[in-house]
Structures are given as C-alpha cells and as structure tokens.
Amino acid sequence: MRDAADIVVIGGGIMGLSVAYHLATLAPAQSITVLEASYLCSGASGRNGGGVRAQWANELSVRLMQESLREFRAFAQKHRINTWLRQGGYLFLARSEEKAHELTRSVGIQRHAGLDTELLGPAEVSRLVPEVSSEGVYLGSYNAKDAVVFPWPFVWGYAEGARALGVEIETFTRVLGIDVTNGAVSAVHSDRGTIRTKRVVVACGALSPGVARLAGVELPTHPHRHEICSSEPLKPFLTPLVADLTDGLYFSQSTRGEIVGGISDPSPPPGPAQNSSVAFLARYARALVARCPRLGKVRVLRQWAGLYDISPDQGPILGAPDKPDGLYLISGFMGHGFMMAPVVGKRLAAFIAHGTSSSELATWRLARFEEGRPLAPDMIIG
Ligand SMILES: Cc1cc2nc3c(=O)[nH]c(=O)nc-3n(C[C@H](O)[C@H](O)[C@H](O)COP(=O)(O)OP(=O)(O)OC[C@H]3O[C@@H](n4cnc5c(N)ncnc54)[C@H](O)[C@@H]3O)c2cc1C
C-alpha cells in the first residue's frame, strides 16, 4: 500500500469506485487509492434490487437519471462485462387519492423534462400487466425505458476500469482515523498503515457518519435496515418493475426469472443491523400476493438485508463541507444511490479534479440542513 496519495477514497462501494474511476479519467496524473474495509460489494452496492429509473418527482433527478440510464446501457460494452440489464420499464401504482395526486404531478414534471411517461387508469394497468391486480388502484405511471440490472458487475466494472487507469484498490483495509492539520486534511490512518494525502472522499454509504466524524464533520444521516428477497426462477411473465407508492412494495423479474422484491419497514431496528427477519417475509408475501396473486405458491430462495442511508429530507449529500479543506462527501442516497452513481460519481470527480460545479452539487450541499432549507419530497421507494 502507498504511504502517500493525491486522493484517498474511503469506501469501495459503487459511489467510491465511480468517483475513483472518473477521477482517474479526468486527472490521470493524480495518484488515487481506494480503501475498503471489507470486500467489494459488501455494502449496499452488493445488496440492492438493481432498479434504475428516470421516473422522479423533480427535474434534477429526472435529468440526472436520463443521463445515468444512458451510462447503464453503455456500461457493458465500455467495461466489457455482462450487466444483465433488462429494460422492461417501471410501473408505479397509487392506491390513494393523495398518492394519485402526487403521481400526476410527478408525471407532469417528467414529461416537461422530455420523458414519455404515461399515466394509466386501472383498466390500462391491467392491460399492461394482466398478472398484476389493479384492485384499489387509482392511477399508475409507466415508463418503458426504466430498467433492472444485476448490481455486482457495475461495482466490478468500475473497479477494473479504475485499476487499469492506475488506481490502487485496497480491500480489507479499514480507515480508523483522519488527520486534520491547520484546517486541512493531511493523512488517513487505516488498520494497514497511514497514507499522507490532502484530499479525502468519504464514500462509506450508511456508515459515512462515523467516518466523516473522524475529520470533525457531523452528518445528519442514519442507517436503516432494508430487507429484500429473491424467489426461485420462473418462466418470464413480468415485464416492468412494479412499485406501489402506498405501502412501498416493489418487485421485478430478473433476466434469470427470479422475482426480486421488498417492502417498506415501518419499524426497522436502530443502527446498522443487516439481519433478516421472518416478519419481513410475512409482510412482503401478503402484499405481493395481493398485488400479484399468481405468486402465491412461489418459493423464496434467498433473503438478505442491507442499509439505506437516510438523511432528514431523504435527499443526498454531495460535495465539500465548509471545513476541513480537502474533504469531500458523497452519501445519503437512501434506496436509490446505485442508479445515480454513474452520474454523481462523475460530478464529484469533476469538482475535485477541476473545480467544476453542477446543479447536483449546488442542490445537495450539506449546509442546507443547518440553513433549514430541506429539499422537497421526491418519489422514494421504501
Ligand atoms: C436492500 C436494498 C435495496 C436497494 N435497492 C436499490 C435499487 O433498486 N436501486 C438503487 O439505485 N439503489 C438501491 N439501493 C440503494 C443503493 O444500494 C445504495 O444507495 C448504494 O449502493 C450506495 O452506495 P455506496 O457506495 O454509497 O455505499 P456502500 O455500497 O454501502 O459502500 C460503502 C462502503 O464503505 C465501506 N466502509 C465503511 N466504513 C469504512 C471504513 N471505516 N473504512 C473503509 N471502508 C469503509 C463499506 O465496507 C462499504 O463497502 C438499495 C439498497 C438496499 C440496502
């Protein structure tokens, strides 16, 4: 392991690796080291549902995700790795007047941004996906270009791409301390040694608060367990990912035929617990079978959990805090960071390498919480 680097990225999830890869392309002369406490894919980036959508409730996210979807589609060829991307669309369902109103507003914003999302009545929902019950559904929204992917190849693709450009990736290397000298970052201490550096990116997902605190920065985010499961493979029958805005149920069929899905948990255990529960399976099964009765006999093969990284307004934190100099943040992405990582990683890398600002950096500043200027609610699952 190097004992000095121009930039140290802490965290080898999709965010840290996307930043490292884009930094290496934008600033090839810089030495970059990624320190990952465990193995690649050990965090939320290896545990998520692989949903990738441009249906959002604000123009910034819609435009960001239009760009990100292009990156997801190009990734396999660019990084020479199979990503199991399946563009079957996303179908959102609203089962209350309030949610139907929100959905109508969101679709207006999406269409204004150039997306051809359709608003569907219950009969049109049934025509689109006959296997899904439209009972109690007020409205649906459907965009055929949204997708599901298998997440791991994106983590591996960025890691391999970064390595090929000279980035050092040290797995099983936990950061234990960050030195700040005269108001600026000066070194990172890990359980495998110290690296002198003037620039540090904290990309530790839901564990970011503890790491940012090492440099004296308090993040208002907290970890929230989110459970998910995968069934035996079934003959393909379900084209879109179905997401119910009322109870947070979502499910999709992977390219291999498995039904992968989850549901909101009203009372997750506090802290970074990642255990699985029977209560989740019961809640998910009840909601899933009500929405898709033909899944009543499907067998669950695998159940796991990961951490959502939640901020007070459910929006991300991106960019440099007021102090110390040389520290950068990229966290708070709740249940949708995977889909945004190609673009936000590129934006943060451009800021670190060339000082380039962007709407995302301006909107997702940490300081908004202290200033009492939270973001408006977005279209969140879970
Ligand atoms: C069940 C579930 C379903 C989801 N579904 C979706 C979805 O469908 N679509 C979507 O876009 N997003 C989804 N998400 C969210 C998405 O997975 C995350 O937003 C994204 O993966 C966050 O990436 P990250 O790199 O910030 O964090 P992580 O992937 O968690 O990576 C952080 C890394 O930092 C490392 N680390 C922590 N502390 C230290 C330390 N002290 N030293 C060194 N390394 C450290 C960790 O080991 C970890 O590998 C889901 C999340 C979960 C849990």
Side-chain angles (χ1 to χ4, degrees), residues 10-17 35-52 90 173-176 203-208 211 214 224 226-228 241 250 304-309 330-331 333-340:
I10 310 175
I14 193 76
M15 290 299 176
L17 293 169
L35 302 179
E36 165 52 50
S38 183
Y39 56 91
L40 302 183
C41 288
S42 60
S45 302
R47 297 164 178 263
N48 66 78
V52 182
Y90 254 63
T173 307
R174 181 175 296 279
V175 168
L176 303 170
C204 296
L207 301 179
S208 294
V211 178
L214 299 173
H224 172 119
H226 187 83
E227 297 187 69
I228 181 166
L241 182 150
Y250 65 92
W304 68 100
L307 298 174
Y308 274 18
D309 173 20
I330 181 165
S331 59
F333 285 86
M334 205 178 161
H336 49 266
F338 199 84
M339 66 179 85
M340 295 189 169

Side-chain angles (χ1 to χ4, degrees), residues 287-304:
L288 181 69
V289 175
R291 206 44 47 213
C292 189
R294 72 172 274 179
L295 291 175
K297 293 212 164 69
V298 75
R299 279 170 291 207
V300 170
L301 283 196
R302 216 155 65 83
Q303 180 189 358
W304 68 100

Side-chain angles (χ1 to χ4, degrees), residues 85-91 128 142-148 238-241:
L85 181 140
R86 193 171 68 75
Q87 217 162 0
Y90 254 63
L91 172 66
L128 181 72
Y142 173 65
N143 193 297
K145 298 205 177 91
D146 292 337
V148 278
L238 181 65
T239 307
L241 182 150

Side-chain angles (χ1 to χ4, degrees), residues 15-337:
M15 290 299 176
L17 293 169
S18 172
V19 173
Y21 170 77
H22 287 106
L23 268 173
T25 60
L26 292 171
Q30 304 272 298
S31 54
I32 303 163
T33 296
V34 178
L35 302 179
E36 165 52 50
S38 183
Y39 56 91
L40 302 183
C41 288
S42 60
S45 302
R47 297 164 178 263
N48 66 78
V52 182
R53 61 177 158 112
Q55 290 190 63
W56 284 91
N58 73 75
E59 198 166 333
L60 179 79
S61 304
V62 175
R63 292 198 188 278
L64 184 157
M65 281 309 305
Q66 284 170 298
E67 183 179 344
S68 199
L69 269 157
R70 285 196 291 277
E71 299 270 349
F72 272 96
R73 282 199 299 269
F75 197 95
Q77 203 162 21
K78 191 164 165 187
H79 293 270
R80 307 192 63 76
I81 192 161
N82 187 358
T83 58
W84 284 276
L85 181 140
R86 193 171 68 75
Q87 217 162 0
Y90 254 63
L91 172 66
F92 278 99
L93 300 176
R95 285 190 296 118
S96 68
E97 242 176 84
E98 187 199 344
K99 290 289 172 198
H101 179 74
E102 285 172 21
L103 199 59
T104 308
R105 193 183 150 273
S106 304
V107 171
I109 291 165
Q110 292 161 26
R111 294 186 70 90
H112 175 74
L115 219 61
D116 51 4
T117 310
E118 297 165 63
L119 262 186
L120 309 177
E124 292 164 304
V125 166
S126 299
R127 257 199 306 280
L128 181 72
V129 199
E131 296 80 6
V132 168
S133 159
S134 59
E135 202 185 316
V137 169
Y138 281 62
L139 273 182
S141 76
Y142 173 65
N143 193 297
K145 298 205 177 91
D146 292 337
V148 278
V149 300
F150 180 44
W152 300 358
F154 291 90
V155 175
W156 298 330
Y158 275 138
E160 282 313 304
R163 279 192 187 110
L165 294 167
V167 173
E168 184 184 65
I169 300 177
E170 301 288 347
T171 53
F172 297 97
T173 307
R174 181 175 296 279
V175 168
L176 303 170
I178 300 173
D179 285 352
V180 174
T181 311
N182 297 328
V185 164
S186 55
V188 169
H189 302 285
S190 79
D191 54 6
R192 289 183 52 228
T194 293
I195 306 181
R196 282 175 288 112
T197 185
K198 291 191 168 142
R199 290 175 157 190
V200 170
V201 180
V202 178
C204 296
L207 301 179
S208 294
V211 178
R213 195 170 300 128
L214 299 173
V217 173
E218 285 301 321
L219 295 181
T221 47
H222 69 275
H224 172 119
R225 181 183 71 178
H226 187 83
E227 297 187 69
I228 181 166
C229 71
S230 173
S231 76
E232 62 187 329
L234 303 178
K235 202 169 161 190
F237 74 95
L238 181 65
T239 307
L241 182 150
V242 180
D244 187 329
L245 288 167
T246 313
D247 60 7
L249 169 77
Y250 65 92
F251 57 101
S252 68
Q253 190 165 25
S254 74
T255 38
R256 292 184 301 194
E258 305 125 334
I259 303 296
V260 178
I263 190 167
S264 299
D265 184 347
S267 52
Q274 296 198 88
N275 60 309
S276 296
S277 73
V278 174
F280 158 76
L281 267 191
R283 198 171 58 252
Y284 172 70
R286 258 196 305 275
L288 181 69
V289 175
R291 206 44 47 213
C292 189
R294 72 172 274 179
L295 291 175
K297 293 212 164 69
V298 75
R299 279 170 291 207
V300 170
L301 283 196
R302 216 155 65 83
Q303 180 189 358
W304 68 100
L307 298 174
Y308 274 18
D309 173 20
I310 303 198
S311 77
D313 63 7
Q314 303 187 329
I317 295 168
L318 187 68
D322 291 345
K323 52 185 186 183
D325 284 348
L327 193 80
Y328 302 91
L329 306 168
I330 181 165
S331 59
F333 285 86
M334 205 178 161
H336 49 266

